[in-house]
Amino acid sequence: MFPEDRVLVGVINRKRDFVSARDEQWYRIPQNQLPNGVHTDYLAFFLSGGVFKEQSGGIHYYARFAGVELVYRRDLLPKEAEHPRANDVYYRVALKDWTSKQPPILNPTRRTVTFIHTTWDRFVHATTIADLYSKADYFVDRIYHALRSVGIASERFWEVETKTTGVPPGVRVLCEDGTITASTVRTPDGLYMDEERGEDAIFKAIIEEIQRRGGPATISIPTEGS
């Protein structure tokens, strides 16, 4: 374990998926939620929903990444062959060394949790979800969820992924007339997410640019854990 090891936090909101991860040692991720692939050394699991009782709303377990393959949902979950996304492609991520996180990572501010990319040093010392974010990732995540709240799908790029993807932290939105990218680093053809301007100003600038490019492209926003 090294401080810079990558940790991917995913959401589990069904008992069946929890059993698959803990006992069968695999976890599923829709390919369209991580279009750049699964690049991590560990996976951690945010449990959501009443089925998990007192553990709901926190990260209580993690495991080592042991490989990945692409599989249709209908093949992963043959008993759910009639599901609307049965023909969607998923990553089947193999796991090993299922471990309890002590202390667990809780969510006292009840912030929305989807996928979070973080590092081992942050993860191992974290006691709250906020502890997992770098300053740049926190800003990107806030903008991402602000866009999502008004029905605009976007793709996030995380600081911890930069070495793998070469892309700085930011968000990308597919529009009817091209794609826009907003980043916490100045780039030649993107919007600069200057933290000194504040979230509201950045959000407004992104919305104006989206409108200038014909509005967001029409795509669905998938639900985590579906």
Side-chain angles (χ1 to χ4, degrees), residues 53-84:
K53 299 180 180 179
E54 67 277 1
Q55 290 190 325
S56 180
I59 299 171
H60 294 264
Y61 304 98
Y62 67 95
R64 284 183 179 269
F65 173 85
V68 64
E69 59 182 325
L70 290 172
V71 185
Y72 289 110
R73 190 188 195 279
R74 63 175 183 265
D75 296 326
L76 278 174
L77 302 170
K79 293 183 179 179
E80 300 178 19
E82 301 303 316
H83 191 279

Side-chain angles (χ1 to χ4, degrees), residues 126-171:
T127 58
T128 71
I129 293 295
D131 296 334
L132 299 175
Y133 293 86
S134 70
K135 186 177 180 181
D137 284 344
Y138 178 81
F139 195 70
V140 167
D141 194 62
R142 296 278 294 181
I143 296 297
Y144 168 84
H145 284 293
L147 291 168
R148 191 181 179 94
S149 71
V150 296
I152 297 175
S154 64
E155 181 183 358
R156 278 172 295 186
F157 298 99
W158 300 82
E159 186 174 66
V160 72
E161 290 184 300
T162 300
K163 288 184 179 180
T164 302
T165 65
V167 180
V171 296

Side-chain angles (χ1 to χ4, degrees), residues 151 153 174 217-221:
L174 179 63
T218 305
I219 58 175
S220 63
I221 300 177

Side-chain angles (χ1 to χ4, degrees), residues 102-146:
Q102 296 296 334
I105 301 174
L106 304 180
N107 191 20
T109 60
R110 302 179 71 86
R111 67 180 294 147
T112 302
V113 176
T114 51
F115 288 102
I116 302 171
H117 293 260
T118 190
T119 52
W120 178 257
D121 58 343
R122 291 195 192 104
F123 176 76
V124 73
H125 293 107
T127 58
T128 71
I129 293 295
D131 296 334
L132 299 175
Y133 293 86
S134 70
K135 186 177 180 181
D137 284 344
Y138 178 81
F139 195 70
V140 167
D141 194 62
R142 296 278 294 181
I143 296 297
Y144 168 84
H145 284 293

Side-chain angles (χ1 to χ4, degrees), residues 2 46 52 64 96 146 192 224:
F2 299 95
F46 180 86
F52 297 110
R64 284 183 179 269
K96 63 179 180 179
Y192 176 44
E224 266 68 23

Side-chain angles (χ1 to χ4, degrees), residues 150-217:
V150 296
I152 297 175
S154 64
E155 181 183 358
R156 278 172 295 186
F157 298 99
W158 300 82
E159 186 174 66
V160 72
E161 290 184 300
T162 300
K163 288 184 179 180
T164 302
T165 65
V167 180
V171 296
R172 181 166 61 193
V173 180
L174 179 63
C175 301
E176 293 295 342
D177 186 20
T179 300
I180 67 168
T181 300
S183 173
T184 57
V185 176
R186 292 187 186 275
T187 59
D189 53 0
L191 295 174
Y192 176 44
M193 296 169 63
D194 184 354
E195 297 177 40
E196 294 185 0
R197 293 178 61 193
E199 293 175 25
D200 290 344
I202 293 297
F203 180 72
K204 180 180 178 182
I206 293 173
I207 293 295
E208 289 175 349
E209 184 64 15
I210 291 171
Q211 293 171 342
R212 191 180 73 81
R213 300 204 182 196

